[in-house]
Amino acid sequence: MHRRPRLRLAALLTAPLLWLVLAYLGSLAALFLSAFWTTDSFTSEVVRIWSSRNFEELVGSPVYRTVALRTVGVALAVTGLCALIAFPLAFYTARVAPPRRRPLFVVALLMPLWAGYLVKVYAWRLILSEGGPLDWALRPFGLSGPGYGLTATVLVLTYLWLPYMALPIHTALVQLPDSLLHASADLGARAGRTFVSVVLPTVWPAVAAGSVFTFSLSLGDYITVQIVGGKTQLIGNLVYSNVTLNLPLAAALGTVPVAVIVVYLLAVRRSGALRSL
């Protein structure tokens, strides 16, 4: 088919485009449409009658607004912590560590991804438990662990999604030309000035790309909150708890993180951080 490039392109793209339209966009469309249905108050059966009551309840209820703001705040906190922790780790693995040992450090950086999700979360539940390893380590200093709650949720989510931030930053730092650093030093710039004027603008697209993963994954997570969150409620928990009781309300709740991540992607794209990826 080399003589018919358009036909070849159509053959290559038909299957993935059909999958995207039917499986992904189709499911989002079904989610949005079902959010306008209602349920029978007696049988909890879905009644396919057009109504905006679910969205009115989301906007009018202070509980749902609080949970939505808390969820966005958790996602932003996890993203910020991942960036703060990942940058020095990636800088060491990419620029400071001996070249022969760099692959080993990269493997160590990505090793948390090798374990199962539930294994890692339940391990953190044991660490954060009352009288657990963290309490034992902090006891000589007169301190104690955070226990289960919002702080534990942010801490565990940061651990879970840290590799998704560290790997793009490491790749960007590896590709950073040494000539730029030498030129900055020759012009008399100190380390802080070089970081702000040379390193950070070069690595910023990688940080933005990693933040898309950490933000979106934290925004939709609900298992970690159930295991280590205590009484903390996020949007994912509300969706999970309403799936069997009130499916249209769960669908309406599910549109909230979709809308938030769309706004976040547009903001990142508008900032120009993704153009040089």
Side-chain angles (χ1 to χ4, degrees):
M1 299 173 63
H2 64 279
R3 295 182 179 180
R4 299 179 179 179
R6 293 184 178 180
L7 183 60
R8 181 177 59 185
L9 181 63
L12 290 173
L13 296 182
T14 297
L17 286 178
L18 284 176
W19 175 261
L20 175 66
V21 172
L22 296 178
Y24 183 69
L25 297 181
S27 62
L28 289 179
L31 174 72
F32 185 71
L33 290 177
S34 61
F36 288 95
W37 296 340
T38 58
T39 56
D40 188 283
S41 57
F42 181 72
T43 62
S44 297
E45 294 291 334
V46 177
V47 179
R48 291 174 173 80
I49 298 178
W50 187 267
S51 174
S52 60
R53 186 178 63 183
N54 295 320
F55 290 101
E56 293 174 358
E57 185 175 355
L58 291 182
V59 176
S61 175
V63 175
Y64 293 135
R65 291 199 303 267
T66 302
V67 172
L69 292 176
R70 183 188 299 129
T71 304
V72 175
V74 167
L76 291 174
V78 171
T79 300
L81 287 175
C82 284
L84 291 176
I85 298 173
F87 203 99
L89 291 176
F91 188 84
Y92 179 81
T93 59
R95 313 295 304 186
V96 179
R100 292 184 178 181
R101 296 182 180 179
R102 287 176 186 175
L104 297 177
F105 286 117
V106 174
V107 170
L109 200 62
L110 300 178
M111 191 172 292
L113 296 177
W114 299 1
Y117 177 94
L118 291 177
V119 173
K120 292 182 288 188
V121 178
Y122 274 107
W124 271 101
R125 178 178 174 85
L126 177 63
I127 294 173
L128 297 171
S129 62
E130 185 178 357
L134 186 59
D135 275 350
W136 178 81
L138 295 176
R139 190 176 304 162
F141 305 97
L143 303 175
S144 61
Y148 303 140
L150 188 61
T151 302
T153 301
V154 173
L155 179 63
V156 176
L157 289 176
T158 301
Y159 169 79
L160 291 174
W161 314 137
L162 180 62
Y164 294 97
M165 178 70 76
L167 185 58
I169 297 177
H170 169 84
T171 304
L173 289 171
V174 168
Q175 298 174 353
L176 180 65
D178 293 333
S179 58
L180 293 179
L181 303 178
H182 295 325
S184 178
D186 292 340
L187 293 174
R190 296 183 178 180
R193 180 66 176 178
T194 300
F195 174 79
V196 173
S197 301
V198 178
V199 178
L200 189 58
T202 306
V203 182
W204 175 246
V207 177
S211 71
V212 173
F213 290 100
T214 58
F215 184 82
S216 60
L217 291 172
S218 301
L219 197 67
D221 192 279
Y222 72 97
I223 299 178
T224 296
V225 188
Q226 288 185 328
I227 296 176
V228 300
K231 297 181 180 180
T232 303
Q233 291 289 325
L234 300 182
I235 290 180
N237 304 104
L238 296 181
V239 173
Y240 177 78
S241 61
N242 282 281
V243 165
T244 56
L245 299 177
N246 193 338
L247 182 60
L249 179 60
L253 288 167
T255 61
V256 176
V258 174
V260 171
I261 193 60
V262 169
V263 173
Y264 185 81
L265 289 173
L266 291 176
V268 173
R269 182 177 181 272
R270 188 175 180 84
S271 67
L274 302 180
R275 294 177 183 175
S276 57
L277 282 177

